[in-house]
Amino acid sequence: HTQQCFRKKGSSSRDSCESLWLPSALMALSSRRDAPEPPDFSLLKRLARDQLIYLLEQLPGKKDLFIEADLMSPLDRIANVSTLKQHEVDKLYKLDNKPIVSLCDQLCFLIRPRIQTVKWIAEIVNVDKQAGRFRRYKIIFTPQKFCACETVLEEQGIYGDVSTDEWAFYLLPLDDDIISMELPEFFRDNFLEGDQRWVTTAARALHLLHSLYGPFSKAYGIGRCAKMTYETWRELVEEGEQKSQQPEIGSVFLVDRGPEPLFLWGLGTT
């Protein structure tokens, strides 16, 4: 399981972000009187929760929610069961690629943009159509949807039968100084299979931090993927609205986890 993490200025970890270890020395340092006030990363949770609630309300009325297994734990940190039920989610199911038992007339699927999962949803819709059963279906992709998934919907003949949306859930605060992108496929897809689709996702995560907490003073990187992420992020910054804001994060370090030699290169100021 690979997590891509960002840590706040002044924080550290042992060898990788997977340990999610916060040394007591760091906590002591953060309590120093001359230490700067840390950014309020709880804002990331509130934004993610508000967006998810908005997407669920786009399917008004009682609905059953099917959640991909590796999204269960992150979702619980953002919106618990009681919150979901307040917005007309009747029953929750862990998505397991087996025939469903739901009797509800509205089905919502919260999934990663995975081809196999989309094919499973298509099978559910087609079985209902063959049985003459009418339901409303909504797929919420997170953190973003890819064209390949929509192509599968077209190939399976259900593109017009389902609505799709995107939950831009890029960053999950795990502790006061740890933020995880919760992308278990990033390392395999990017470094082993050469699929660079997640570079845009990482760039959007950077852009979210930049938008909420002000411009970074400097950015440094190690590796080709880090440079691609930086360049994609800079394009997003240049395309977006420029606003004056007091920076709350100092420097950003982007580090590849591939087998390439480690050379630190400066990306310049923002």
Side-chain angles (χ1 to χ4, degrees), residues 28-42:
L29 178 63
S30 65
S31 64
R32 285 174 42 181
R33 293 182 179 180
D34 59 344
E37 188 69 22
D40 180 15
F41 285 143
S42 66

Side-chain angles (χ1 to χ4, degrees), residues 216-221 230 233-234 250-252 265-270:
F216 311 131
S217 58
K218 287 185 178 294
Y220 302 91
Y230 171 81
W233 164 59
R234 287 306 306 168
S251 300
V252 170
W265 38 268
L267 295 166
T269 57
T270 59

Side-chain angles (χ1 to χ4, degrees), residues 166-266:
E166 184 178 277
W167 182 30
F169 176 36
Y170 297 121
L171 296 167
L172 173 67
L174 299 179
D175 210 324
D176 288 342
D177 74 328
I178 303 174
I179 312 174
S180 173
M181 288 190 67
E182 297 294 310
L183 290 180
E185 288 129 326
F186 191 108
F187 181 81
R188 183 199 66 198
D189 288 355
N190 192 82
F191 295 106
L192 301 183
E193 299 182 3
D195 185 346
Q196 298 168 347
R197 60 180 178 165
W198 296 114
V199 168
T200 301
T201 307
R204 289 183 180 182
L206 273 179
H207 191 52
L208 177 61
L209 290 177
H210 177 271
S211 301
L212 294 178
Y213 303 108
F216 311 131
S217 58
K218 287 185 178 294
Y220 302 91
I222 295 176
R224 181 171 49 185
C225 180
K227 188 172 184 180
M228 291 173 60
T229 301
Y230 171 81
E231 291 172 347
T232 304
W233 164 59
R234 287 306 306 168
E235 291 176 3
L236 294 173
V237 172
E238 292 168 4
E239 292 171 0
E241 180 182 353
Q242 304 296 322
K243 59 181 180 179
S244 177
Q245 187 176 356
Q246 182 68 26
E248 298 185 57
I249 298 176
S251 300
V252 170
F253 293 83
L254 307 175
V255 183
D256 280 14
R257 300 195 60 190
E260 299 178 359
L262 300 183
F263 298 104
L264 180 66
W265 38 268

Side-chain angles (χ1 to χ4, degrees), residues 96-115:
D96 55 9
N97 292 324
K98 296 179 181 178
I100 65 171
V101 295
S102 172
L103 299 178
C104 189
D105 290 332
Q106 297 197 119
L107 305 181
C108 187
F109 303 89
L110 180 60
I111 66 171
R112 305 278 193 186
R114 294 167 177 156
I115 299 298

Side-chain angles (χ1 to χ4, degrees), residues 92-136:
L92 286 84
Y93 298 92
K94 182 172 72 173
L95 193 152
D96 55 9
N97 292 324
K98 296 179 181 178
I100 65 171
V101 295
S102 172
L103 299 178
C104 189
D105 290 332
Q106 297 197 119
L107 305 181
C108 187
F109 303 89
L110 180 60
I111 66 171
R112 305 278 193 186
R114 294 167 177 156
I115 299 298
Q116 193 60 38
T117 306
V118 176
K119 287 183 177 180
W120 174 76
I121 295 173
E123 184 178 349
I124 291 173
V125 176
N126 282 325
V127 167
D128 282 350
K129 289 169 66 175
Q130 292 170 7
R133 177 165 190 177
F134 174 79
R135 297 202 233 209
R136 295 182 66 190

